[in-house]
Amino acid sequence: MIETFDAPADAAPDGLDARLVVDRGTFRLDVALAVAPGEVVALLGPNGAGKTTALRALAGLAPLTGGHLRLDGAELDRTPPESRPVGVVFQDYLLFPHLTALDNVAFGPRCQGTSKAEARARAAEWLDRMGLADHTGAKPRRLSGGQAQRVALARALAIRPRLLLLDEPLAALDARTRLEIRAQLRRHLAEFEAVAVLVTHDPLDAMVLADRLVVVEHGQVVQEGSPSGIARHPRTDYIAQLVGLNLYRGEADGHTVRLDSGPAITTTEVLSGPAFVAFPPSAVTLHRGRPTGSSARNVWRCEVAGLETHGDQIRADLTGELPIAADLSAAAAAELDLHPGTEVWATLKATQTHAYPA
Amino acid sequence: MSLTDGAGAAAGTLRGGPRRRRVRMSGDRGVPLPLLVPALIGLAFLVVPLIALLVRTPWRSLPEQLTSAEVWQALELSLICATAATAVSVVIGVPLAWLLARIDFPGRGLVRALVTLPLVLPPVVGGVALLMALGRNGIVGTYLDSWFGVTLPFTTAGVVVAEAFVAMPFLVISVEGTLRAADPRYEEAAATLGASRFTAFRRVTLPLIAPGIAAGAVLAWARALGEFGATITFAGNFPGRTQTMPLAVYLALQSDPEAAIALSLVLLAVSIAVLAGLRDRWMTPG
């Protein structure tokens, strides 16, 4: 994973500088974005968070009701989509079904006034670069998902955009193709010299493809930073779930963080004031009786609310003093004879927790 | 959990009272007579006249009837006028359909109602209305006459106008439906690639909705070919100039019934051909 700055260079003349405000009845999107050329930023968030609206606003397909949009110093707020130097890879690609792969890619250059022969030559070059030289004459319906994705990328890049937008670029692919296309897409994005913004609800896609994540919930930016920084220090339940951590917010006093909901967690860090505590589900140990010989500093009485398989582990959802997700091996789960309603004791070593200021 | 709940609910519905009775009614006890009898009468009502036409067709003299100069004249005029009316409908009807489907303007509902009105308007009324608009003294016709020396009533061009007036709504409604079903995001994708709205329409939307346009054109053509009321009112009934097949049939029925039947047979054949051409679009269930 590439470590980058948490904030891009301020007031850079080049790149994207935007504050996207879109009011739509009860929903309000208000997202500030600053992206330097060559940087890849992922808008990550749950469905309905406003990610796609933000993307459409950048492309000019949804009008801004406020804020501003500057790309390489030029105001784009009032520019219609066809006049913006913006390329879009749509979620389901939207390849024109009546045109061959070559003509799909040549469409943009043609609209920009390039002659037919030259547009096709340029399109062939792009398809070749995507490893699709053998599929130039194929209609979209005869392309596999991965091929269609690459044609869509070639089509968006063929207009030489200064801003490349990708809407859930890997969502339409099956798991196996996804792995391969994700690696290819990462390579193409690394080569792209202008601004790239992608929208995804998949944390893995975001972390692999992007240099920087902007997490959007309810139309607002809730956290932004490098993938590793966000994975280590989640600030909302949504992100904590995405990166597979238990996350609590409370008031720190020395080695103790007293949670807003009552119980306290003992940590190794010394903090004071509002703080987050995070720990992985695998750090939690479950016992049927109250543990006596345990050296763990944190002990809670809980009840099993649900069980599900999670890879080769069993994920137990616990309620009670503290809602916790705990991972244990299938053998351990069988030995403890866990089922919904079982009363258990959860222990957690202070060294397994990670506390940081809120 | 939710899966078993769903299955349970579905099973419950199947076991429930009303559902079961209805299933048994069609399965075990057959169709009730109060429904079967009118249904069969309805079917006969639609089919018997067509059979009668075939039964009474003078098959022996048919080749002679169909090769007569009057029949050919009327047939040729009909085909030319219906095709021209369809062409007019496509050229001005497709943009109108696009406007109705894609642009949200105030009064769109009213405009759509006005476009649909000729579908339900008695064609004779359409003919009278056309005379008031495009007749020599009509509100537009006056100027056509004095500025360009163009008169439409009682000319072949008038036949095309009358047929287009009656047939175009079929095309507009059909194309608008196709446009609404087509994904407008293709036009957005074209816009992000630098296409103006018109370029997007011409290079993306038009090819995508071509089947819908073709179906609408066939429908409009069939309607134009059979047009009677508006044509005879606006364009009159002059052999070789404005006398189309339906007018010829009507006229022949009074003097030469065998010729009328022969002409009707030709129109019936055309109708069946149209239906066959559109069967993939309309006759397949779902």
Side-chain angles (χ1 to χ4, degrees):
Chain A
M1 199 73 37
I2 309 158
E3 273 279 27
T4 51
F5 314 100
D6 274 11
D10 275 330
D14 277 359
L16 174 70
D17 168 28
R19 182 167 164 237
L20 308 170
V21 180
V22 179
D23 271 305
R24 191 177 291 156
T26 55
F27 179 78
R28 180 181 164 89
L29 174 82
D30 188 345
V31 168
L33 267 183
V35 190
E39 194 183 14
V40 181
V41 164
L43 293 180
L44 179 66
N47 287 329
K51 308 175 306 261
T52 297
T53 305
L55 199 90
R56 290 176 60 80
L58 288 170
L61 299 172
L64 286 182
T65 47
H68 62 268
L69 173 52
R70 272 188 291 275
L71 185 61
D72 295 341
E75 293 279 348
L76 288 185
D77 314 26
R78 304 266 169 271
T79 313
E82 63 264 29
S83 308
R84 296 187 185 197
V86 177
V88 185
V89 177
F90 291 89
Q91 181 173 358
D92 38 4
Y93 316 135
L94 296 177
L95 296 177
F96 304 130
H98 60 290
L99 297 179
T100 61
L102 186 74
D103 284 332
N104 261 285
V105 180
F107 188 95
R110 284 287 284 145
C111 289
Q112 292 175 332
T114 313
S115 77
K116 193 166 191 167
E118 203 189 318
R120 284 194 159 170
R122 210 205 283 184
E125 215 172 285
W126 274 109
L127 287 174
D128 189 33
R129 205 186 291 189
M130 298 286 163
L132 289 168
D134 297 339
H135 296 84
T136 51
K139 292 277 178 70
R141 82 174 70 88
R142 290 198 11 244
L143 296 171
S144 71
Q147 290 164 347
Q149 202 270 355
R150 282 178 284 162
V151 174
L153 182 62
R155 186 175 72 169
L157 289 172
I159 61 167
R160 301 200 172 119
R162 296 302 303 157
L163 169 60
L164 178 67
L165 304 172
L166 304 107
D167 190 3
E168 303 276 2
L170 302 167
L173 301 173
D174 60 73
R176 218 167 49 117
T177 321
R178 201 174 172 132
L179 210 65
E180 184 193 327
I181 296 294
R182 190 191 285 132
Q184 288 183 6
L185 182 58
R186 182 179 158 73
R187 211 179 60 234
H188 290 300
L189 287 178
E191 285 169 12
F192 185 59
E193 74 291 353
V195 175
V197 174
L198 69 100
V199 149
T200 180
H201 69 273
D202 185 320
L204 189 56
D205 288 350
M207 290 183 182
V208 171
L209 296 173
D211 305 321
R212 184 155 58 92
L213 307 189
V214 174
V215 184
V216 179
E217 286 178 58
H218 311 295
Q220 307 283 325
V221 176
V222 292
Q223 188 171 1
E224 65 178 290
S226 68
S228 53
I230 285 184
R232 270 202 307 269
H233 298 153
R235 301 184 80 84
T236 72
D237 285 341
Y238 165 73
I239 308 168
Q241 265 174 29
L242 281 186
V243 299
L245 291 177
N246 287 297
L247 177 72
Y248 307 93
R249 193 192 165 106
E251 198 71 21
D253 182 14
H255 283 294
T256 308
V257 177
R258 181 154 298 281
L259 305 188
D260 304 339
S261 55
I265 300 177
T266 306
T267 63
T268 47
E269 289 90 350
V270 178
L271 289 170
S272 65
F276 285 113
V277 185
F279 56 87
S282 56
V284 180
T285 312
L286 300 184
H287 316 264
R288 280 306 285 265
R290 185 181 187 107
T292 45
S294 173
S295 63
R297 305 289 299 274
N298 296 295
V299 181
W300 301 290
R301 201 166 105 177
C302 301
E303 189 178 292
V304 177
L307 294 164
E308 59 180 275
T309 39
H310 206 262
D312 58 352
Q313 299 270 297
I314 304 285
R315 163 77 48 97
D317 269 318
L318 309 178
T319 57
E321 273 187 82
L322 195 66
I324 310 175
D327 280 353
L328 61 168
S329 69
E335 199 174 308
L336 288 168
D337 186 25
L338 295 184
H339 50 84
T342 310
E343 192 188 78
V344 290
W345 293 83
T347 60
L348 171 70
K349 291 180 175 161
T351 51
Q352 298 266 34
T353 65
H354 182 38
Y356 45 96
Chain B
M1 191 96 120
S2 65
L3 202 97
T4 48
D5 280 352
T13 318
L14 279 177
R15 261 181 262 115
R19 181 69 174 264
R20 187 177 189 187
R21 238 175 282 139
R22 211 182 303 156
V23 168
R24 272 188 50 189
M25 193 165 71
S26 73
D28 302 344
R29 281 189 278 165
V31 185
L33 274 186
L35 292 178
L36 183 63
V37 172
L40 290 180
I41 291 174
L43 183 64
F45 176 66
L46 293 176
V47 173
V48 167
L50 299 179
I51 294 172
L53 188 62
L54 292 175
V55 168
R56 286 297 164 86
T57 298
W59 295 104
R60 206 166 303 151
S61 64
L62 192 65
E64 186 192 320
Q65 291 281 3
L66 290 182
T67 48
S68 80
E70 294 86 50
V71 170
W72 274 108
Q73 207 174 40
L75 184 62
E76 193 185 7
L77 189 70
S78 280
L79 294 177
I80 289 171
C81 289
T83 306
T86 305
V88 169
S89 299
V90 168
V91 169
I92 58 182
V94 171
L96 181 56
W98 182 85
L99 203 71
L100 286 174
R102 286 286 189 271
I103 306 295
D104 195 8
F105 57 89
R108 179 161 69 162
L110 180 68
V111 171
R112 188 181 291 115
L114 288 173
V115 168
T116 325
L117 189 59
L119 281 179
V120 290
L121 192 73
V124 178
V125 178
V128 173
L130 281 173
L131 274 177
M132 296 308 111
L134 301 171
R136 204 181 275 269
N137 298 314
I139 57 171
V140 179
T142 309
Y143 300 103
L144 283 182
D145 189 25
S146 59
W147 291 355
F148 308 107
V150 173
T151 39
L152 288 173
F154 311 110
T155 63
T156 305
V159 176
V160 175
V161 168
E163 289 183 351
F165 179 79
V166 174
M168 195 171 78
F170 285 88
L171 181 109
V172 174
I173 297 300
S174 169
V175 173
E176 197 206 339
T178 312
L179 271 169
R180 283 182 180 283
D183 195 340
R185 292 181 313 144
Y186 283 113
E187 290 172 33
E188 291 185 349
T192 66
L193 294 168
S196 68
R197 254 195 135 156
F198 180 65
T199 306
F201 172 77
R202 189 171 54 83
R203 293 203 49 208
V204 175
T205 312
L206 214 49
L208 287 179
I209 63 165
I213 295 176
V218 169
L219 204 60
W221 187 80
R223 180 67 187 85
L225 195 71
E227 166 42 35
F228 181 90
T231 309
I232 202 165
T233 313
F234 184 64
N237 184 20
F238 305 108
R241 199 142 56 89
T242 70
Q243 190 184 79
T244 55
M245 289 281 277
L247 305 193
V249 170
Y250 181 72
L251 210 70
L253 201 57
Q254 287 153 30
S255 55
D256 183 3
E258 282 200 350
I261 295 169
L263 286 165
S264 300
L265 205 65
V266 172
L267 287 177
L268 178 64
V270 170
S271 306
I272 290 171
V274 166
L275 200 61
L278 290 176
R279 81 178 178 282
D280 287 339
R281 207 172 161 76
W282 288 337
M283 308 261 297
T284 45

mmCIF file of all heavy atoms in Angstrom, chain A residues 20-22 27-32 46 48-51 53-54 215-222:
data_model
loop_
_atom_site.group_PDB
_atom_site.id
_atom_site.type_symbol
_atom_site.label_atom_id
_atom_site.label_comp_id
_atom_site.label_asym_id
_atom_site.label_seq_id
_atom_site.Cartn_x
_atom_site.Cartn_y
_atom_site.Cartn_z
ATOM 1 N N LEU A 20 -18.976 20.160 -3.623
ATOM 2 C CA LEU A 20 -20.182 19.742 -4.321
ATOM 3 C C LEU A 20 -21.362 19.816 -3.375
ATOM 4 O O LEU A 20 -21.407 19.090 -2.382
ATOM 5 C CB LEU A 20 -20.018 18.310 -4.838
ATOM 6 C CG LEU A 20 -18.745 18.050 -5.658
ATOM 7 C CD1 LEU A 20 -18.584 16.556 -5.904
ATOM 8 C CD2 LEU A 20 -18.792 18.816 -6.971
ATOM 9 N N VAL A 21 -22.285 20.704 -3.680
ATOM 10 C CA VAL A 21 -23.509 20.799 -2.889
ATOM 11 C C VAL A 21 -24.679 20.502 -3.808
ATOM 12 O O VAL A 21 -24.874 21.183 -4.820
ATOM 13 C CB VAL A 21 -23.674 22.194 -2.254
ATOM 14 C CG1 VAL A 21 -24.959 22.245 -1.436
ATOM 15 C CG2 VAL A 21 -22.467 22.530 -1.392
ATOM 16 N N VAL A 22 -25.397 19.461 -3.490
ATOM 17 C CA VAL A 22 -26.595 19.118 -4.258
ATOM 18 C C VAL A 22 -27.734 18.911 -3.267
ATOM 19 O O VAL A 22 -27.659 18.035 -2.402
ATOM 20 C CB VAL A 22 -26.392 17.837 -5.106
ATOM 21 C CG1 VAL A 22 -27.662 17.495 -5.865
ATOM 22 C CG2 VAL A 22 -25.218 18.003 -6.062
ATOM 23 N N PHE A 27 -32.638 15.091 1.036
ATOM 24 C CA PHE A 27 -31.229 14.693 0.994
ATOM 25 C C PHE A 27 -30.360 15.869 0.590
ATOM 26 O O PHE A 27 -30.676 16.611 -0.332
ATOM 27 C CB PHE A 27 -31.042 13.543 -0.002
ATOM 28 C CG PHE A 27 -29.612 13.100 -0.127
ATOM 29 C CD1 PHE A 27 -29.049 12.288 0.845
ATOM 30 C CD2 PHE A 27 -28.836 13.513 -1.195
ATOM 31 C CE1 PHE A 27 -27.724 11.891 0.740
ATOM 32 C CE2 PHE A 27 -27.512 13.117 -1.295
ATOM 33 C CZ PHE A 27 -26.960 12.302 -0.331
ATOM 34 N N ARG A 28 -29.253 16.045 1.308
ATOM 35 C CA ARG A 28 -28.329 17.114 0.950
ATOM 36 C C ARG A 28 -26.925 16.532 0.891
ATOM 37 O O ARG A 28 -26.442 15.921 1.834
ATOM 38 C CB ARG A 28 -28.388 18.239 1.976
ATOM 39 C CG ARG A 28 -27.449 19.395 1.665
ATOM 40 C CD ARG A 28 -27.563 20.451 2.772
ATOM 41 N NE ARG A 28 -26.436 21.376 2.742
ATOM 42 C CZ ARG A 28 -26.420 22.502 2.023
ATOM 43 N NH1 ARG A 28 -27.457 22.825 1.290
ATOM 44 N NH2 ARG A 28 -25.365 23.292 2.036
ATOM 45 N N LEU A 29 -26.302 16.721 -0.274
ATOM 46 C CA LEU A 29 -24.914 16.312 -0.427
ATOM 47 C C LEU A 29 -24.050 17.545 -0.252
ATOM 48 O O LEU A 29 -24.316 18.588 -0.839
ATOM 49 C CB LEU A 29 -24.702 15.717 -1.826
ATOM 50 C CG LEU A 29 -23.252 15.367 -2.185
ATOM 51 C CD1 LEU A 29 -22.884 14.020 -1.608
ATOM 52 C CD2 LEU A 29 -23.051 15.363 -3.686
ATOM 53 N N ASP A 30 -23.043 17.459 0.594
ATOM 54 C CA ASP A 30 -22.097 18.565 0.744
ATOM 55 C C ASP A 30 -20.723 17.958 0.962
ATOM 56 O O ASP A 30 -20.375 17.559 2.063
ATOM 57 C CB ASP A 30 -22.518 19.462 1.917
ATOM 58 C CG ASP A 30 -21.670 20.724 1.965
ATOM 59 O OD1 ASP A 30 -20.616 20.772 1.294
ATOM 60 O OD2 ASP A 30 -22.069 21.658 2.676
ATOM 61 N N VAL A 31 -19.967 17.871 -0.109
ATOM 62 C CA VAL A 31 -18.691 17.172 -0.073
ATOM 63 C C VAL A 31 -17.620 18.066 -0.681
ATOM 64 O O VAL A 31 -17.787 18.573 -1.787
ATOM 65 C CB VAL A 31 -18.783 15.845 -0.866
ATOM 66 C CG1 VAL A 31 -17.406 15.262 -1.084
ATOM 67 C CG2 VAL A 31 -19.673 14.852 -0.138
ATOM 68 N N ALA A 32 -16.537 18.273 0.050
ATOM 69 C CA ALA A 32 -15.404 19.026 -0.486
ATOM 70 C C ALA A 32 -14.344 18.032 -0.951
ATOM 71 O O ALA A 32 -14.059 17.049 -0.269
ATOM 72 C CB ALA A 32 -14.839 19.942 0.580
ATOM 73 N N PRO A 46 -21.567 3.798 2.237
ATOM 74 C CA PRO A 46 -22.660 2.844 2.050
ATOM 75 C C PRO A 46 -23.594 3.299 0.931
ATOM 76 O O PRO A 46 -23.522 4.448 0.484
ATOM 77 C CB PRO A 46 -23.374 2.864 3.409
ATOM 78 C CG PRO A 46 -23.061 4.203 3.988
ATOM 79 C CD PRO A 46 -21.700 4.573 3.470
ATOM 80 N N GLY A 48 -26.591 4.872 -0.922
ATOM 81 C CA GLY A 48 -27.441 5.986 -0.543
ATOM 82 C C GLY A 48 -26.697 7.088 0.174
ATOM 83 O O GLY A 48 -27.302 8.037 0.660
ATOM 84 N N ALA A 49 -25.360 6.997 0.245
ATOM 85 C CA ALA A 49 -24.582 8.017 0.954
ATOM 86 C C ALA A 49 -24.417 9.265 0.112
ATOM 87 O O ALA A 49 -24.066 10.310 0.629
ATOM 88 C CB ALA A 49 -23.219 7.456 1.335
ATOM 89 N N GLY A 50 -24.641 9.153 -1.195
ATOM 90 C CA GLY A 50 -24.494 10.303 -2.072
ATOM 91 C C GLY A 50 -23.252 10.242 -2.944
ATOM 92 O O GLY A 50 -22.924 11.212 -3.615
ATOM 93 N N LYS A 51 -22.570 9.093 -2.941
ATOM 94 C CA LYS A 51 -21.346 8.970 -3.741
ATOM 95 C C LYS A 51 -21.627 9.170 -5.220
ATOM 96 O O LYS A 51 -20.936 9.913 -5.919
ATOM 97 C CB LYS A 51 -20.710 7.579 -3.576
ATOM 98 C CG LYS A 51 -20.477 7.155 -2.168
ATOM 99 C CD LYS A 51 -19.958 5.725 -2.127
ATOM 100 C CE LYS A 51 -20.823 4.743 -2.842
ATOM 101 N NZ LYS A 51 -21.743 3.936 -2.117
ATOM 102 N N THR A 53 -24.198 10.577 -6.613
ATOM 103 C CA THR A 53 -24.627 11.956 -6.868
ATOM 104 C C THR A 53 -23.406 12.857 -7.021
ATOM 105 O O THR A 53 -23.359 13.713 -7.908
ATOM 106 C CB THR A 53 -25.519 12.444 -5.716
ATOM 107 O OG1 THR A 53 -26.598 11.532 -5.558
ATOM 108 C CG2 THR A 53 -26.067 13.830 -5.992
ATOM 109 N N ALA A 54 -22.411 12.658 -6.155
ATOM 110 C CA ALA A 54 -21.183 13.458 -6.236
ATOM 111 C C ALA A 54 -20.512 13.246 -7.593
ATOM 112 O O ALA A 54 -20.069 14.196 -8.247
ATOM 113 C CB ALA A 54 -20.234 13.074 -5.103
ATOM 114 N N VAL A 215 -14.352 9.069 2.932
ATOM 115 C CA VAL A 215 -15.508 8.280 3.343
ATOM 116 C C VAL A 215 -16.711 9.205 3.463
ATOM 117 O O VAL A 215 -16.655 10.233 4.138
ATOM 118 C CB VAL A 215 -15.254 7.555 4.675
ATOM 119 C CG1 VAL A 215 -16.441 6.669 5.027
ATOM 120 C CG2 VAL A 215 -13.978 6.744 4.589
ATOM 121 N N VAL A 216 -17.784 8.851 2.738
ATOM 122 C CA VAL A 216 -18.982 9.676 2.695
ATOM 123 C C VAL A 216 -20.129 8.908 3.329
ATOM 124 O O VAL A 216 -20.370 7.748 2.985
ATOM 125 C CB VAL A 216 -19.347 10.033 1.236
ATOM 126 C CG1 VAL A 216 -20.613 10.882 1.197
ATOM 127 C CG2 VAL A 216 -18.201 10.760 0.560
ATOM 128 N N GLU A 217 -20.783 9.555 4.289
ATOM 129 C CA GLU A 217 -22.004 8.982 4.862
ATOM 130 C C GLU A 217 -23.033 10.086 4.964
ATOM 131 O O GLU A 217 -22.712 11.201 5.370
ATOM 132 C CB GLU A 217 -21.729 8.402 6.261
ATOM 133 C CG GLU A 217 -20.960 7.095 6.242
ATOM 134 C CD GLU A 217 -20.684 6.593 7.659
ATOM 135 O OE1 GLU A 217 -21.650 6.386 8.408
ATOM 136 O OE2 GLU A 217 -19.497 6.427 7.997
ATOM 137 N N HIS A 218 -24.278 9.787 4.584
ATOM 138 C CA HIS A 218 -25.378 10.756 4.648
ATOM 139 C C HIS A 218 -25.019 12.063 3.963
ATOM 140 O O HIS A 218 -25.340 13.137 4.461
ATOM 141 C CB HIS A 218 -25.791 11.024 6.104
ATOM 142 C CG HIS A 218 -26.001 9.774 6.887
ATOM 143 N ND1 HIS A 218 -27.003 8.877 6.594
ATOM 144 C CD2 HIS A 218 -25.317 9.243 7.931
ATOM 145 C CE1 HIS A 218 -26.933 7.866 7.429
ATOM 146 N NE2 HIS A 218 -25.923 8.057 8.243
ATOM 147 N N GLY A 219 -24.303 11.997 2.849
ATOM 148 C CA GLY A 219 -24.002 13.204 2.089
ATOM 149 C C GLY A 219 -22.864 14.032 2.646
ATOM 150 O O GLY A 219 -22.584 15.113 2.137
ATOM 151 N N GLN A 220 -22.197 13.551 3.701
ATOM 152 C CA GLN A 220 -21.113 14.311 4.321
ATOM 153 C C GLN A 220 -19.829 13.489 4.315
ATOM 154 O O GLN A 220 -19.884 12.267 4.373
ATOM 155 C CB GLN A 220 -21.461 14.614 5.791
ATOM 156 C CG GLN A 220 -22.800 15.266 6.008
ATOM 157 C CD GLN A 220 -22.772 16.740 5.666
ATOM 158 O OE1 GLN A 220 -21.771 17.415 5.871
ATOM 159 N NE2 GLN A 220 -23.868 17.237 5.117
ATOM 160 N N VAL A 221 -18.707 14.182 4.287
ATOM 161 C CA VAL A 221 -17.429 13.493 4.462
ATOM 162 C C VAL A 221 -17.251 13.220 5.947
ATOM 163 O O VAL A 221 -17.283 14.142 6.763
ATOM 164 C CB VAL A 221 -16.265 14.356 3.946
ATOM 165 C CG1 VAL A 221 -14.934 13.666 4.234
ATOM 166 C CG2 VAL A 221 -16.417 14.607 2.452
ATOM 167 N N VAL A 222 -17.102 11.948 6.322
ATOM 168 C CA VAL A 222 -16.939 11.640 7.741
ATOM 169 C C VAL A 222 -15.482 11.357 8.084
ATOM 170 O O VAL A 222 -15.082 11.452 9.240
ATOM 171 C CB VAL A 222 -17.824 10.447 8.183
ATOM 172 C CG1 VAL A 222 -19.291 10.839 8.139
ATOM 173 C CG2 VAL A 222 -17.560 9.230 7.329
#
